[in-house]
Amino acid sequence: QVQLVESGGGLVQAGDSLSLSCVASGDTFSSYALAWFRQTPGKKREFVAGISWSGGRTYYADSVKARFTISRDNAKNTMYLQMNTLKPEDTAVYYCAADTSGVVAGLQESYEYDIWGQGTQVTVSS
């Protein structure tokens, strides 16, 4: 089964940029719709961005639109999240997720995704 591993989190200041990566094992990565979610203590996991299996369609939460960019490189089995102009409210654990049905991209409920990474912490100080 595919496993996902995130990296790239850290502590930055407001206004800074950060890039997250999600590397997948397995050879069926290119057929999956993927997404980034984030979660803070006591809150439900929140959709951040999604991307279709080909990378041709992308979707964003209103809170990150125009600041974050999701992309993928199927040849490298890797998905990325470029985060610019970070705000303290972006502080969270960020998770990558895969929907192995791959039929519909941009789904915004966590239960739609069946494979998850372990998460990477992003902290934005004011």
Side-chain angles (χ1 to χ4, degrees):
Q1 187 178 3
V2 171
Q3 291 186 321
L4 305 176
V5 179
E6 304 96 335
S7 63
L11 171 64
V12 297
Q13 293 187 332
D16 285 351
S17 297
L18 204 60
S19 181
L20 305 182
S21 297
C22 174
V23 179
S25 61
D27 59 3
T28 53
F29 175 84
S30 61
S31 65
Y32 298 160
L34 303 173
W36 288 98
F37 282 75
R38 64 188 182 188
Q39 190 170 26
T40 54
K43 294 190 176 181
K44 67 176 287 187
R45 205 161 286 192
E46 173 191 31
F47 173 83
V48 175
I51 190 166
S52 63
W53 66 270
S54 67
R57 288 172 288 140
T58 57
Y59 308 83
Y60 297 94
D62 287 343
S63 59
V64 306
K65 204 170 290 184
R67 297 189 299 121
F68 290 12
T69 302
I70 188 172
S71 62
R72 67 190 294 170
D73 184 341
N74 288 339
K76 296 182 178 180
N77 276 12
T78 303
M79 174 177 65
Y80 306 96
L81 185 67
Q82 177 64 40
M83 305 184 292
N84 298 328
T85 319
L86 282 161
K87 304 176 181 180
E89 50 264 44
D90 294 319
T91 295
V93 177
Y94 283 71
Y95 298 90
C96 62
D99 170 14
T100 58
S101 73
V103 174
V104 179
L107 298 173
Q108 300 194 10
E109 295 294 336
S110 59
Y111 64 77
E112 301 280 4
Y113 297 84
D114 48 343
I115 300 177
W116 292 84
Q118 84 289 348
T120 185
Q121 176 72 47
V122 172
T123 304
V124 184
S125 64
S126 57

